[in-house]
């Protein structure tokens, strides 16, 4: 869960897709450029997944994460990834703060 959430967060920062527009590095891109960027992002995130997975495996092992800790951390990272995906969504709106709170409660209380 943590690897998937983290990779979604990383993937959402590489490029933006809005209606009929593909944006990379702050510029609109045509279909051929978008394809090259998309394939490049797949290769890079595929490679990075191994490092991210190793990172989370070490953290989970060292801190002896329970299933509740994993769900709480995935909620927090997932909410950040969702907010990052939509250009005008705020990270600290009331709905996001509720999810962050639930995630923290799961991590700290159980």
């Amino acid at each position: 869960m943590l690897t998937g959430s983290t990779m979604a967060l990383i993937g959402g920062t590489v490029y933006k897709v809005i209606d009929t527009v593909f944006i990379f590095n702050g510029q609109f891109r045509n279909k051929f450029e978008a394809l090259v960027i998309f394939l490049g992002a797949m290769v890079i995130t595929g490679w990075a997944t191994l490092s991210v997975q190793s990172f989370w495996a070490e953290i989970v092992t060292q801190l002896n994460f329970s299933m509740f800790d994993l769900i709480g951390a995935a909620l927090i990272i997932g909410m950040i990834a969702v907010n990052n995906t939509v250009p005008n969504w705020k990270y600290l709106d009331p709905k996001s703060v509720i999810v962050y709170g639930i995630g923290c409660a799961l991590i700290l209380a159980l």
Side-chain angles (χ1 to χ4, degrees):
M1 288 189 303
L2 296 175
T3 300
S5 298
T6 303
M7 294 315 298
L9 178 61
I10 292 170
T13 61
V14 175
Y15 55 83
K16 300 284 184 204
V17 179
I18 307 166
D19 292 334
T20 59
V21 177
F22 188 97
I23 301 171
F24 175 75
N25 200 23
Q27 296 179 340
F28 298 111
R29 303 297 176 155
N30 66 41
K31 277 193 176 186
F32 298 118
E33 291 173 322
L35 176 62
V36 171
I37 293 163
F38 182 76
L39 293 174
M42 284 183 7
V43 169
I44 291 168
T45 56
W47 172 79
T49 299
L50 300 173
S51 299
V52 170
Q53 185 176 16
S54 296
F55 168 79
W56 281 121
E58 187 173 326
I59 297 291
V60 166
T61 302
Q62 286 181 357
L63 298 179
N64 197 24
F65 268 29
S66 70
M67 184 57 75
F68 294 108
D69 295 327
L70 291 172
I71 293 169
L75 281 173
I76 292 168
I77 296 168
M79 189 79 260
I80 292 169
V82 166
N83 285 325
N84 186 56
T85 303
V86 181
N88 294 323
W89 282 6
K90 296 179 174 67
Y91 290 88
L92 296 176
D93 66 290
K95 292 176 184 176
S96 296
V97 171
I98 289 170
V99 173
Y100 299 145
I102 292 169
C104 287
L106 286 169
I107 292 169
L108 298 173
L110 301 173

